[in-house]
């Protein structure tokens, strides 16, 4: 049997342990309702300047940053105003990067399994 790391004379000074697990609003298979989530208009959320410190825009982590309008077009300050050719080249580059990352991950997984 494992020995208790806390001596008995110190335990009386420790607060009792407790764990609160909140009840989920929805269970698997339930119809989900997102009406309580505020959805701003596209382009309404401010865009921080590239030179801003991280502390100046922590509020963006706690809200929805909506960039695309109902037609799928970038609007407001988040619109990069890039040509379609540039956007396609960026997408191709991202897809190549994902494939490379996946290949490296698979290779390291095989190496790890082979070493055991």
């Amino acid at each position: 049997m494992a020995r208790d790391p806390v001596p008995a004379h110190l335990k009386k000074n420790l607060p009792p342990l407790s764990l609160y697990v909140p009840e989920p609003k929805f269970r698997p298979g339930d119809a989900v309702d997102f009406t309580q989530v505020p959805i701003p208009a596209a382009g309404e959320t401010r865009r921080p300047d590239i030179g801003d410190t991280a502390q100046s825009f922590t509020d963006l982590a706690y809200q929805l940053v909506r960039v695309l309008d109902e037609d799928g077009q970038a609007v407001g300050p988040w619109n990069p105003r890039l040509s379609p050719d540039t956007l396609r080249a960026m997408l191709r580059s991202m897809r190549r990067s994902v494939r490379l990352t996946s290949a490296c991950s698979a290779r390291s997984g095989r190496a790890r399994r082979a070493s055991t």
Side-chain angles (χ1 to χ4, degrees):
M1 187 166 170
R3 202 179 122 232
D4 193 350
V6 181
H9 71 282
L10 294 178
K11 282 188 177 183
K12 61 184 171 192
N13 293 327
L14 296 175
L17 298 177
S18 66
L19 175 65
Y20 171 71
V21 179
E23 186 68 28
K25 292 182 180 181
F26 306 103
R27 305 296 296 172
D30 290 351
V32 182
D33 177 23
F34 289 106
T35 55
Q36 78 281 3
V37 178
I39 300 177
E44 181 180 280
T45 308
R46 70 181 179 86
R47 181 179 180 186
D49 187 63
I50 195 164
D52 288 352
T53 63
Q55 290 80 16
S56 69
F57 54 88
T58 55
D59 59 308
L60 296 179
Y62 300 98
Q63 61 184 330
L64 181 66
V65 177
R66 188 166 168 218
V67 178
L68 302 178
D69 63 9
E70 287 77 15
D71 299 324
Q73 300 299 314
V75 296
W78 294 88
N79 184 354
R81 292 173 181 74
L82 298 172
S83 71
D85 291 334
T86 302
L87 291 171
R88 280 190 283 274
M90 291 169 66
L91 181 60
R92 278 193 296 276
S93 177
M94 287 189 300
R95 286 175 32 207
R96 267 187 247 120
S97 174
V98 167
R99 284 195 299 261
L100 177 62
T101 303
S102 297
C104 290
S105 178
R107 184 174 177 172
S108 67
R110 285 193 303 272
R112 185 175 54 249
R113 284 189 294 277
S115 68
T116 57

